[in-house]
Amino acid sequence: MRLTGRTALVTGASRGMGRAIARRLADDGALVAVHYATNADLADEVVTLIEKDGGRAFAVQADLGTPDGVDVLFDGLAEGLTERTGSTELDILVNNAGVMGGTPAGETTPEQFDRLMAVNAKAPFFIIQRAMAHLADGARIVNISSGLTRVANPDEIAYAMSKGAVEQLALHFAKVLAPRGITINTVAPGITRNGNPVFDIPEAVEQMARLSAFNRVGEPEDVADVVAFLASADARWMTGAFVDATGGTLLG
Ligand code: NAP
């Protein structure tokens, strides 16, 4: 229970890796704000699962692809934290929410491009900007990128651009935040099982598994455990880092 007494916000925590990260941080003792965009039922399910395991959590809604998304997020976060702790202090911020592209460059529309940038890159920047006033000294920020900033994929060029942008946050914010003992790092997952139907097709999973040195696809918990380390006191000497959580996919 190394995070007892800590508060955490995990964006995109209704499903996939965000769900596993929220559950892991709650297991470690943190009070977790489970953010979602549209799937309220799934976010409520995460809160229920955490509470069943003896943890504390609440759900917060915000569409981070809209201009007022970050304001809506922080209104809900402040309300939820104040109700439970009497303060809006935040110890852990995980910028995990993201949208994939899946469209070849030639077919990507300006609207699709803007959406990818808005949710994957712009929102994390403004979330950090807004969080600065709430972050406790010694707080932790983890931004989720992708192995696709290091491996070519012609169907995900715009997506990879958005993740390349999000990686800059750790590098440049690290010096701004270090005087307060706040660390900020990037975690780059490889192919990781989420609710996508492709993970129900054995042949597709076999093919994706071959990309990892361990010959399997990642499980959300594989990434959640890495994030939990970076969110802990043990990671106090790491900041501005790019952490490969691709199961060896980037080894080539
Ligand atoms: P996922 O299962 O696709 O879930 C996406 C999460 O983001 C959901 O909680 C969703 O909320 C939220 N979200 C989607 N659009 C949003 C919006 N406009 N505003 C706010 N929240 C929004 O996610 P995942 O596959 O675990 O991926 C998590 C992160 O890892 C993402 O940043 C992704 O790019 C990155 N990543 C994934 C993989 C992979 O193979 N899965 C690999 C590398 C990197 P709702 O449920 O309410 O829609």
Side-chain angles (χ1 to χ4, degrees):
M1 301 294 278
R2 56 187 177 175
L3 299 180
T4 301
R6 303 292 161 101
T7 56
L9 166 63
V10 183
T11 67
S14 47
R15 302 185 267 129
M17 278 177 262
R19 168 182 283 233
I21 294 166
R23 293 190 68 183
R24 172 63 208 266
L25 297 181
D27 274 353
D28 286 354
L31 165 64
V32 182
V34 175
H35 161 264
Y36 68 98
T38 54
N39 284 305
D41 49 340
L42 292 181
D44 288 343
E45 189 179 282
V46 177
V47 172
T48 304
L49 287 168
I50 287 173
E51 288 173 345
K52 258 193 199 151
D53 291 341
R56 296 202 304 154
F58 61 92
V60 184
Q61 191 278 335
D63 182 343
L64 297 174
T66 59
D68 68 344
V70 175
D71 289 339
V72 172
L73 172 67
F74 275 84
D75 286 350
L77 177 69
E79 192 185 322
L81 287 178
T82 307
E83 207 174 288
R84 288 161 184 83
T85 68
S87 130
T88 61
E89 194 165 85
L90 188 65
D91 298 295
I92 299 159
L93 164 62
V94 184
N95 278 310
N96 165 79
V99 282
M100 292 283 287
T103 315
E107 293 163 28
T108 302
T109 65
E111 292 72 25
Q112 286 170 329
F113 186 92
D114 287 347
R115 178 96 183 148
L116 283 165
M117 289 295 170
V119 178
N120 296 356
K122 185 178 174 185
F125 173 86
F126 284 101
I127 290 172
I128 293 170
Q129 185 195 65
R130 276 294 292 271
M132 300 258 283
H134 302 277
L135 289 173
D137 287 356
R140 300 278 182 265
I141 302 174
V142 180
N143 302 314
I144 305 297
S145 178
S146 166
L148 284 178
T149 60
R150 304 288 194 279
V151 173
N153 180 335
D155 286 345
E156 295 291 356
I157 296 176
Y159 170 79
M161 285 176 71
S162 73
K163 291 301 191 181
V166 90
E167 286 179 11
Q168 296 302 312
L169 293 171
L171 178 65
H172 299 283
F173 263 117
K175 284 209 172 187
V176 177
L177 299 166
R180 295 177 53 202
I182 300 172
T183 67
I184 176 166
N185 293 291
T186 302
V187 170
I191 294 178
T192 309
R193 194 185 302 278
N194 58 13
N196 192 307
V198 75
F199 290 99
D200 298 330
I201 307 167
E203 301 77 36
V205 173
E206 210 173 289
Q207 204 179 343
M208 291 187 287
R210 275 189 228 122
L211 297 173
S212 158
F214 299 119
N215 198 33
R216 67 172 177 83
V217 298
E219 299 298 331
E221 293 74 18
D222 293 324
V223 178
D225 290 349
V226 175
V227 173
F229 163 68
L230 291 171
S232 75
D234 289 348
R236 64 194 171 279
W237 204 234
M238 285 178 72
T239 196
F242 171 88
V243 179
D244 173 345
T246 67
T249 300
L250 300 185
L251 297 173

